[in-house]
Amino acid sequence: MRPEKIDRLATVIILTLTGLVGVVLFALLAYLLLSGIPHISWHFLTSSAESFRSGGGIRDQLFNSLYLVVLTLLVSVPLALCAAIYLSEYAPDNRWTNLLRLAIEVLSSLPSVVVGLFGYLIFVLQWGLDFSLLAGALALTILNLPMLTRACEDALRQVPYLQRQAGLGLGMSKWRVTTKIVLPAALPGIITGAILSAGRIFGEAAALIYTAGQSSPAISYTDWNPFSPTSFLNPLRPAETLAVHIWKVNSEGLVPDARAVSNGSVAVLILTILIFNLLARYIGYLIKRRLAK
């Protein structure tokens, strides 16, 4: 067979398989959205969940998920950014650097349930945080750190080396070049990576079952004291997130409308993650446009 025919055949096979995967993913996404969107209403989004009666909502679970995203990013973004700056700008090419990169790769492949059990042993039991948002945020930081570090490092490495040389040629220190030239140029990629990782945090469940807990105590959205046990801002309270709520409703839910609650929660979860992805692209585009002027 001629090389041209082999090339065409391989192209057709690759395109066919890619289209098949796309159709399957689109069909699954459409099924989940069409099953869940009819159950979404303002009452569903703003009312608390019910344990035994029908008509409950996901207000607390939705807020807990968003609050957990904020707490996790507050911890993971500075750590990931510092690690990325070291690996990209300062780390020499030696065994220590290769070992560090290998550790990041290994950590990124850990199952979330393993990270959850580690968080339960260390943060919940050893550190005495009990089941809390803070314990969940620390566990998700471990889970999120490798991906976010690689995203920040890739964004820093995409900055042309000539810009660094220009700053050093003007007498600027290495740290000043990094903070005043490299970081602003890499900011779109860093923000995009942070928002994309927020989508992964929002949909995580396994690690949070053992750290953040499977129940949400009664909280007050008018209590702004973060040290109050009933405050919605208290990071030391147990909190059931939206993904954990979906798992719990499907596994041991006693409400008569468990199927409707589950379908509606899944649709809200998918739409929120979709918003995170679109927001990442839009913010990255705006920053690139502004820096290009």
Side-chain angles (χ1 to χ4, degrees), residues 26-44:
F26 180 79
L28 178 61
L29 187 63
Y31 171 75
L32 293 174
L33 290 177
L34 292 176
S35 300
I37 287 179
H39 301 290
I40 299 176
S41 63
W42 183 250
H43 173 78
F44 182 72

Side-chain angles (χ1 to χ4, degrees), residues 74-262:
L74 286 176
V75 178
S76 60
V77 169
L79 292 176
L81 189 57
C82 290
I85 290 175
Y86 171 75
L87 291 172
S88 174
E89 306 298 322
Y90 292 93
D93 188 11
N94 53 27
R95 291 183 178 179
W96 159 248
T97 305
N98 295 333
L99 182 63
L100 184 59
R101 293 183 189 278
L102 178 62
I104 292 175
E105 294 295 331
V106 171
L107 192 60
S108 65
S109 63
L110 283 179
S112 58
V113 66
V114 175
V115 177
L117 289 172
F118 174 82
Y120 174 74
L121 293 174
I122 302 300
F123 306 135
V124 177
L125 297 182
Q126 292 293 328
W127 290 13
L129 295 177
D130 297 324
F131 291 111
S132 62
L133 282 164
L134 183 57
L138 293 175
L140 289 184
T141 296
I142 297 175
L143 195 65
N144 188 48
L145 204 56
M147 183 182 72
L148 193 54
T149 300
R150 284 184 297 179
C152 293
E153 185 183 1
D154 289 342
L156 292 171
R157 288 186 178 277
Q158 287 177 4
V159 179
Y161 188 70
L162 287 175
Q163 295 188 18
R164 296 174 174 84
Q165 287 182 321
L168 294 173
L170 291 174
M172 300 173 66
S173 63
K174 179 75 172 180
W175 177 249
R176 193 168 180 83
V177 169
T178 302
T179 55
K180 298 297 182 181
I181 297 177
V182 179
L183 272 180
L187 194 59
I190 294 173
I191 293 178
T192 300
I195 297 177
L196 290 177
S197 67
R200 183 187 179 188
I201 296 168
F202 190 84
E204 185 56 51
L208 298 177
I209 294 174
Y210 302 100
T211 52
Q214 304 177 37
S215 62
S216 293
I219 55 176
S220 172
Y221 290 93
T222 59
D223 187 357
W224 291 82
N225 181 11
F227 302 103
S228 173
T230 59
S231 174
F232 68 103
L233 293 176
N234 186 0
L236 297 178
R237 62 177 175 86
E240 180 187 44
T241 60
L242 188 59
V244 174
H245 183 64
I246 295 170
W247 169 81
K248 191 174 180 181
V249 167
N250 281 284
S251 60
E252 54 188 55
L254 299 177
V255 291
D257 59 344
R259 185 65 180 272
V261 172
S262 175

